[in-house]
Amino acid sequence: MKLIIKDLEEFSAPLAKLTAQELADILFNLGFETEILAGKEPILDISITPNRPDVMSALGVARELEAWRQKDLKRVQAVEFKTTDLINKLPVSSELKINFKDKVCLQYHGIILEDVVIGESPAWLQDKIKLLGLRPINNIVDLTNYLMELYGQPLHAFDLDSILGAQMTIRSAEKNETVTTLDGVDYKLKGGEPVIADQEALIDLAGVMGGANTAVDAKTKRVLLQAAIFDSEAIHKASKGLSVRTDASARYERAVSPDLSWPVLEQAAQLLKKKDFGQAKAVSRVEALTQDVQELKVKVDLGRVNSLLGLKVKEEQAVRIWELLGCQIDDKLRISPPTWRIDLNIWQDFAEEVERLIGLDDQLPATRLARTETSAGLSEYEWAEGIKDRLIELGLSEVFTYSFIGGQDLAVFNLPKQGELANPLNPSRSFLRPSLLPGLARVVAENSFFDPVTVFEIGHVFLKDKEETRLALAFAGATDSLDAWVARLADAFGIDSAVFKKNITTHQLTQPQHQFYKIRRKNVFMIEFPLLVLKSARRIPKKYFIPSQTIPFRPLSKYPPVSRDIAILVDRGVNSNEVIDVITEFHDAVEFVSMFDEYVSDSLGENKKSLAFHILYSSLDKTLIDEEVDTIHAEIGHELEKSFNARIR
Amino acid sequence: MKKGSLHPTSQFLRRAIQIFKDLGFEVVDSPEITTEKHNFDDVRMPANHPARDMQDTFWLKDGRLPRTHTSAFQVPSMKDRKPPVRLLIPGRVFRNEATDSTHEALFYQLEGFVIDEQVSLAQLKWSLANFATKLYGADTEVKFVPSYFPFVEPGLEMHVKVNGRWLEMLGAGMIHPEVLEKMKVDPKKYQGYAFGLGIDRLVMLAHEVDDIRRFYRGNLRFLYQFGTGQ
C-alpha cells in the first residue's frame, strides 16, 4: 500500500519530524515491511498482512506510529478525528428508499450533495492522486479515492438523478445478471456478488466498482456519496470469481471499521463546499443501516501473558501499551479492543501487542530450550538417509526429479492415468507420478555424454489408493550388468537375493522410450521398489553422515561456457517450459537454458508472441570454439522451427 | 570404487535437522498429497479468506491437493501423540507459481514444533538463534521481526545476515490455541511454538547456485560438485 508521508500530518503533527527512513524502520519493527519509493515526494510502500486491515490507510499507519512514539512518554494522546459538526446538522434524507436483502450490507451511510460542479480536481489533489499511482479523473472521484487512502473507508459517488425510481436494493446478484462498471468492462455475474440495483438495472458492483450508468459526469448536478460496509467473505468471493481487485475491494474483503463513515463524509462535505471544488452543498444525510457492533471484553491473565512471552512485564506497562492502541481496560484486566482492531479477539492477541510494542528484537531475552532425550526409533527419513549413504558408497549419485509427470510419460511407460491435476502449471506435468522411472529416464537423457550414469532417487509416488516411498535406480553406459547390480544391492543391504529379486521391478528401456526421451545410448536399465522392501535387510546403516562444513561451489566446467541468445516468434499457446525442455535435451553441450523475455503484442502478428532465451553452452573436456557453438545453435533453431512452428527473430 | 554424490538439498537438510535433533527433536514422515482440511482449515486458513491467497495452490481433480506447506502435517502428526512433543517435519511442498531462476513449482521445507507445559516465545527465539549460529557460525547476526501467519499468535520472522546481506530466513510463532485444540491439546494447560523454513533458497545461497531448477534436472556434472557430504 502506498502512503504519502505528508498525509500522516493530517493525524499527527509530531510524525512530520521523522524522516522516511525512521518511519520505515519503526514500521518494520512493528511488523510491516516498508520500502521507500523515490519520487517528487517521499512515499512509503507498506506491506500489510491480512490480519491488519486497520493499517490500510494513513490514519491506521499514524495510529501504529503514534503508539510506538508515545510508548515511553508520560501522557497518551490518542489520534483523533476532526469533529463531525457539519454532518450532525444535516437532516436525515427521505429521498431514497433503500432496501437490504441477503445480509450483504452491514452498514449504509451517506450524504446528498447539491449544486455539484464536476470538473478537474484542484492541483494539490491531482498531485496526490498521481503520487499514489492513480489517474486523476474528476474532482468528486479523485476526492473519494484520496479520502479512502487517508481513512480506509471506501467511498462511492453516484449521480443521484441517474438512480431510477429513487430506490436502491442492496442484495446478492442472481446468476447471469449483468453490470457494466465505470471502466467500461461488462460483467456477467456468477450469483452471490453483492450488488446495488435501482428500479431497472444493476447500478453498482458493490464494494468493488461503481456502475457506468450512475457514474458522475459533466451533467451531474446532485450526488449521493456513499460510505458503506459490505460482507467481507462475499466481497472476497466476488473479487476472486470475477478476477477484479480494486483498492476498495482489497479493504472490504478484510474489514472496514464502522466508526469511519461519518468522519470521512464530514471531510468530504467540508472540502466539497470550497471554491476549488465547485462549492457543492451537503443537504442531507443517509442513515439507512448502522452496523451493530458487539462489544468484546477479553479477560487477560498477565501471568499467562508473561509465561507465553517468557517475560516479566509489569501490569502498568502492559496496560499502558493496550491503552496506546485504543483499548479500554477495567480494573479486573478485562480488555475491550477498539472497533478498528478486528484482529484482537483472544488473550494471545493482546500478548502479541505487548511484545510488538516493547520491541521483539532488542529487549526480549532469549531463554535456552533444555535438551530432552527422545526415545523414538528411526524415522523413515533417517532410515532412508542411511540407505543413501550405502548407495553412494557403491558409486550411485542421488537425484531429485519432479513429482508431476506428463500423460505421454505415463503412456510410454504403460502406467495408468490417474492423479490428474485440475490446474497444472505445465501441460507436460499434469499427473502425479505413480513411479520414479519416467523421471529417471529424463535424467539419463539429461546426461547424454556422461559415462557411466549410475543414479538413484528415493521419493514419494502416488498410486490409486496410497502414497508410497520408493527407491529407484537407473544405469547407462560403462557399468555392470543388471544382474550384477541386483546381486550387488542385495549383498550391500544384507537381504536374501532371491527375496530381493521377487520384490523389485527391473526394467530395460524400450525402443519407444528411447525415442520419446531422445536417449541415443543403448543399454539403459532401471530398478524400482518400495523402500519398505528393505525393512528386513540386515545391513542398513543405523547412522548417516552429517555434513560438517559448507562445500564451496566449483564452476561446472573448467572451460568457460559460451553464451548465446535465441528469440523465436510463436503462437501464444506455446508453453515456454516445453521449449526449454526441447533445447536442453537437444545436445549435451547445452548446459543450461533460461527464458529472459516473453513479449506478447498484436504488433507481432495475430495470436503471436516472442520468447527469448539465454543458452549456455559448455563442454567438460575442452573449450568450445565459436564455430562449434554456432553449428549447434543453428541446429537448435531448426529444431524449434520444426517443433513449434517458430520463426527465428 | 569411485563414490557417488549426495544431493545438496539432502546435505543441507541433514545439517539443519541435526541441530534440532541435538535438542531432542524427533523426525516424522508425512504425505505430500493432503486434504483441504489439513492444509488449510486445520491451520486457520478458511476458504474465502485473504489468508489463503498468500499461497498459490495446485488442486487435483479428485479434490485433494499437493501440500503447499509442511504445516499441513501439524495437526495430523498429533493424532497419536500427547505432549510433551518436539517434532520435525521435512518434505516437499508445491506452489502453483510461475517458475524462474529463484522459483520452482516444488521445493523443500522444514517444519518444526514443540508443545509442552512451559514453552515461551523467549525459548523460541533462543532455538532459532541457535539454529542460525550453528548453521552459519557463532558471530552470525540475527534479527526478529513481528509477522503474521494464521496458525501462530504471536507470529514472527527471523532475518539472518549471510555473506553481508540480510535475508528473511524463516517464519515462526506460538501455536494458536485453535490449532492446539484441533490437535486435541488443552491450550489452558499447554503452550507450543512452531517454525518453518524453505530449504532450496538457503542451499542456493550456501553454494552460490544460480538457478533453483538445477536441483531437479539431475545433471551429474552439477551434482557431482557437491560430493558425498562427508
Side-chain angles (χ1 to χ4, degrees):
Chain A
M1 184 198 76
K2 293 201 175 69
L3 175 81
I4 302 170
I5 292 179
K6 209 149 185 299
D7 285 346
L8 291 171
E9 285 173 45
E10 189 80 23
F11 302 102
S12 157
L15 292 179
K17 300 202 189 81
L18 298 172
T19 65
Q21 189 58 55
E22 285 171 322
L23 293 169
D25 288 342
I26 296 171
L27 289 170
F28 184 69
N29 287 330
L30 288 170
F32 307 103
E33 261 185 66
T34 305
E35 248 186 85
I36 302 171
L37 301 179
K40 274 177 75 177
E41 249 193 69
I43 303 220
L44 298 177
D45 198 357
I46 308 174
S47 289
I48 299 171
T49 48
N51 61 323
R52 293 301 306 272
D54 64 294
V55 183
M56 291 175 81
S57 64
L59 167 63
V61 175
R63 279 186 174 135
E64 283 288 291
L65 291 167
E66 276 298 293
W68 181 272
R69 191 186 69 82
Q70 292 183 29
K71 62 184 179 139
D72 299 318
L73 297 183
K74 280 202 159 55
R75 262 183 2 117
V76 172
Q77 172 101 39
V79 169
E80 265 162 13
F81 297 131
K82 301 199 174 110
T83 60
T84 53
D85 288 338
L86 193 156
I87 300 271
N88 288 339
K89 297 199 185 86
L90 294 176
V92 174
S93 163
S94 52
E95 163 136 16
L96 272 177
K97 186 158 175 1
I98 305 181
N99 303 305
F100 299 93
K101 277 167 69 177
D102 306 321
K103 294 203 170 99
V104 292
C105 183
L106 284 74
Q107 179 155 290
Y108 201 92
H109 294 164
I111 52 174
I112 292 180
L113 299 138
E114 290 182 354
D115 300 336
V116 173
V117 179
I118 303 292
E120 262 192 35
S121 298
W124 68 263
L125 181 56
Q126 291 202 43
D127 287 341
K128 292 232 189 248
I129 292 292
K130 285 187 222 161
L131 278 173
L132 292 168
L134 302 170
R135 231 180 4 111
I137 298 177
N138 61 49
N139 49 1
I140 297 277
V141 172
D142 295 345
L143 188 60
T144 58
N145 282 331
Y146 178 57
L147 288 175
M148 175 175 64
E149 303 286 334
L150 269 189
Y151 284 85
Q153 163 71 59
L155 295 171
H156 182 60
F158 290 94
D159 179 323
L160 183 56
D161 299 307
S162 302
I163 301 179
L164 299 175
Q167 59 170 258
M168 287 178 16
T169 303
I170 309 181
R171 57 173 173 80
S172 283
E174 306 271 322
K175 190 164 183 224
N176 292 333
E177 279 197 87
T178 59
V179 61
T180 303
T181 47
L182 41 77
D183 55 352
V185 180
D186 294 320
Y187 289 99
K188 191 160 162 178
L189 303 178
K190 302 190 161 119
E193 297 91 336
V195 290
I196 302 183
D198 67 9
Q199 195 172 43
E200 281 185 21
L202 294 186
I203 61 173
D204 189 15
L205 190 55
V208 180
M209 203 183 293
N213 50 7
T214 48
V216 298
D217 62 22
K219 297 195 253 48
T220 301
K221 289 269 175 304
R222 302 198 301 154
V223 163
L224 163 65
L225 192 59
Q226 159 191 298
I229 301 181
F230 303 101
D231 176 68
S232 300
E233 254 195 64
I235 297 288
H236 182 245
K237 213 163 165 211
S239 167
K240 266 197 110 175
L242 300 172
S243 296
V244 54
R245 199 164 187 268
T246 59
D247 286 337
S249 71
R251 287 172 174 79
Y252 279 130
E253 72 183 7
R254 292 163 185 204
V256 171
S257 180
D259 62 334
L260 295 169
S261 58
W262 296 124
V264 165
L265 291 169
E266 172 83 15
Q267 279 283 78
Q270 296 276 10
L271 283 167
L272 286 170
K273 76 176 191 195
K274 294 203 169 139
K275 213 150 180 229
D276 56 0
F277 271 97
Q279 294 179 296
K281 237 176 68 183
V283 296
S284 59
R285 67 180 201 276
V286 173
E287 222 177 301
L289 185 66
T290 299
Q291 183 164 0
D292 186 22
V293 177
Q294 304 285 19
E295 213 204 299
L296 184 63
K297 261 195 158 77
V298 181
K299 174 96 179 68
V300 175
D301 177 337
L302 194 62
R304 295 204 70 194
V305 169
N306 278 321
S307 159
L308 184 72
L309 300 178
L311 290 181
K312 294 191 176 71
V313 177
K314 292 209 165 59
E315 183 171 306
E316 216 174 52
Q317 190 183 14
V319 167
R320 173 72 199 248
I321 286 172
W322 294 322
E323 280 175 346
L324 274 171
L325 296 167
C327 302
Q328 310 256 35
I329 306 106
D330 71 11
D331 52 1
K332 289 195 177 62
L333 224 56
R334 282 183 303 213
I335 312 181
S336 296
T339 45
W340 59 86
R341 291 298 302 266
I342 53 135
D343 61 306
L344 298 177
N345 297 292
I346 55 178
W347 68 264
Q348 289 90 339
D349 296 328
F350 293 99
E352 179 174 60
E353 294 307 283
V354 169
E355 158 252 289
R356 230 169 39 96
L357 273 254
I358 287 179
L360 180 54
D361 203 40
D362 303 324
Q363 293 158 41
L364 294 182
T367 311
R368 217 172 173 290
L369 185 79
R371 175 178 171 39
T372 58
E373 290 304 317
T374 170
S375 58
L378 273 185
S379 67
E380 186 188 89
Y381 165 81
E382 291 153 309
W383 187 55
E385 295 303 304
I387 291 170
K388 289 183 189 180
D389 284 345
R390 180 59 43 81
L391 293 168
I392 288 167
E393 275 166 39
L394 296 178
L396 293 146
S397 293
E398 183 184 23
V399 299
F400 285 178
T401 66
Y402 292 101
S403 301
F404 306 153
I405 59 176
Q408 291 181 301
D409 296 89
L410 293 174
V412 83
F413 268 92
N414 277 322
L415 293 164
K417 271 203 169 115
Q418 32 122 69
E420 190 174 0
L421 289 172
N423 58 340
L425 194 57
N426 184 338
S428 69
R429 293 199 203 121
S430 52
F431 291 88
L432 298 179
R433 66 184 180 186
S435 159
L436 298 172
L437 299 187
L440 290 185
R442 285 184 190 272
V443 170
V444 172
E446 167 81 18
N447 294 287
S448 318
F449 291 84
F450 206 89
D451 208 330
V453 172
T454 51
V455 294
F456 74 91
E457 180 173 11
I458 295 180
H460 290 207
V461 303
F462 309 96
L463 310 173
K464 196 144 167 249
D465 53 355
K466 63 175 170 166
E467 190 171 322
E468 184 174 79
T469 304
R470 287 194 186 169
L471 164 57
L473 307 102
F475 305 84
T479 183
D480 293 324
S481 70
L482 171 57
D483 287 338
W485 270 108
V486 170
R488 178 176 295 142
L489 289 167
D491 179 62
F493 289 120
I495 182 169
D496 176 80
S497 146
V499 171
F500 188 55
K501 277 194 226 173
K502 262 212 324 235
N503 285 289
I504 63 175
T505 308
T506 58
H507 179 78
Q508 189 84 30
L509 209 67
T510 66
Q511 177 48 30
Q513 287 162 355
H514 272 278
Q515 230 176 323
F516 179 69
Y517 293 105
K518 299 200 181 62
I519 298 172
R520 272 165 286 195
R521 66 208 309 172
K522 314 229 192 320
N523 195 32
V524 177
F525 56 91
M526 309 190 212
I527 303 170
E528 184 179 31
F529 53 93
L531 202 61
L532 282 179
V533 166
L534 296 177
K535 205 165 76 158
S536 55
R538 297 178 318 273
R539 271 186 246 126
I540 308 287
K542 289 218 174 27
K543 286 188 167 177
Y544 53 87
F545 291 108
I546 312 295
S548 53
Q549 60 191 39
T550 309
I551 298 161
F553 180 66
R554 290 184 292 277
L556 210 54
S557 164
K558 274 200 297 190
Y559 306 96
V562 176
S563 161
R564 288 273 189 280
D565 290 345
I566 190 166
I568 54 175
L569 195 67
V570 285
D571 289 341
R572 288 187 196 168
V574 168
N575 185 301
S576 55
N577 287 319
E578 287 182 24
V579 179
I580 290 177
D581 283 344
V582 166
I583 300 175
T584 312
E585 284 155 22
F586 185 78
H587 196 286
D588 178 63
V590 175
E591 182 196 310
F592 204 72
V593 184
S594 60
M595 185 175 79
F596 68 88
D597 191 46
E598 182 170 353
Y599 180 55
V600 181
S601 165
D602 287 334
S603 66
L604 296 170
E606 198 179 301
N607 193 37
K608 289 288 183 197
K609 66 179 178 184
S610 164
L611 303 174
F613 303 90
H614 285 316
I615 306 178
L616 209 60
Y617 295 96
S618 78
S619 161
L620 261 186
D621 31 42
K622 60 188 174 111
T623 307
L624 291 172
I625 55 174
D626 282 340
E627 282 91 352
E628 288 171 298
V629 177
D630 289 341
T631 307
I632 304 169
H633 197 72
E635 285 173 16
I636 287 179
H638 291 316
E639 181 69 27
L640 295 180
E641 282 172 338
K642 251 185 20 205
S643 305
F644 297 101
N645 200 24
R647 221 188 70 210
I648 312 298
R649 304 190 70 207
Chain B
M1 172 175 294
K2 181 174 176 219
K3 288 197 180 179
S5 61
L6 181 65
H7 196 286
T9 306
S10 294
Q11 295 188 30
F12 193 94
L13 268 173
R14 286 185 185 188
R15 294 177 68 219
I17 286 172
Q18 191 57 42
I19 295 169
F20 286 100
K21 279 177 77 175
D22 287 341
L23 294 175
F25 278 73
E26 179 195 333
V27 184
V28 295
D29 317 298
S30 53
E32 290 169 9
I33 302 298
T34 185
T35 61
E36 184 178 355
K37 177 175 183 299
H38 290 325
N39 199 85
F40 290 123
D41 300 310
D42 281 350
V43 289
R44 302 187 78 241
M45 293 169 77
N48 284 327
H49 193 272
R52 216 186 255 205
D53 294 342
M54 287 157 77
Q55 292 170 351
D56 299 304
T57 313
F58 283 108
W59 291 95
L60 291 174
K61 285 190 171 169
D62 65 17
R64 295 175 303 156
L65 64 144
R67 62 185 171 184
T68 60
H69 50 183
T70 37
S71 312
F73 200 61
Q74 270 193 25
V75 169
S77 67
M78 289 299 289
K79 183 158 162 283
D80 298 312
R81 285 188 169 87
K82 290 256 162 298
V85 288
R86 296 182 186 191
L87 296 186
L88 283 174
I89 309 169
R92 277 193 183 189
V93 301
F94 306 87
R95 300 284 172 96
N96 195 344
E97 274 178 7
T99 64
D100 59 30
S101 60
T102 53
H103 295 92
E104 241 301 359
L106 86 85
F107 56 97
Y108 280 77
Q109 277 188 343
L110 177 64
E111 183 98 4
F113 67 90
V114 169
I115 302 177
D116 208 331
E117 283 181 42
Q118 254 299 100
V119 181
S120 72
L121 190 81
Q123 287 175 308
L124 169 59
K125 287 174 61 188
W126 181 87
S127 308
L128 298 177
N130 175 65
F131 176 66
T133 49
K134 288 263 165 26
L135 214 53
Y136 294 107
D139 299 328
T140 306
E141 280 182 71
V142 307
K143 194 161 58 168
F144 294 100
V145 175
S147 187
Y148 169 72
F149 308 97
F151 32 91
V152 291
E153 185 71 14
L156 57 85
E157 279 171 7
M158 179 174 76
H159 294 232
V160 180
K161 205 169 186 186
V162 178
N163 291 340
R165 254 180 56 210
W166 280 102
L167 68 111
E168 181 197 317
M169 177 171 284
L170 54 80
M174 304 307 288
I175 302 179
H176 197 284
E178 277 176 31
V179 177
L180 286 175
E181 276 166 6
K182 288 196 210 273
M183 293 172 166
K184 304 254 188 316
V185 170
D186 181 358
K188 289 201 276 296
K189 191 159 175 243
Y190 294 102
Q191 284 168 179
Y193 75 58
F195 61 87
L197 61 147
I199 300 290
D200 296 52
R201 202 173 50 121
L202 298 176
V203 182
M204 285 175 72
L205 232 90
H207 301 285
E208 288 171 41
V209 176
D210 58 348
D211 197 305
I212 189 176
R213 295 166 287 195
R214 289 189 190 257
F215 291 146
Y216 302 98
R217 293 206 74 98
N219 184 303
L220 288 169
R221 286 185 296 174
F222 173 71
L223 293 173
Y224 253 102
Q225 304 296 319
F226 298 97
T228 61
Q230 290 166 49

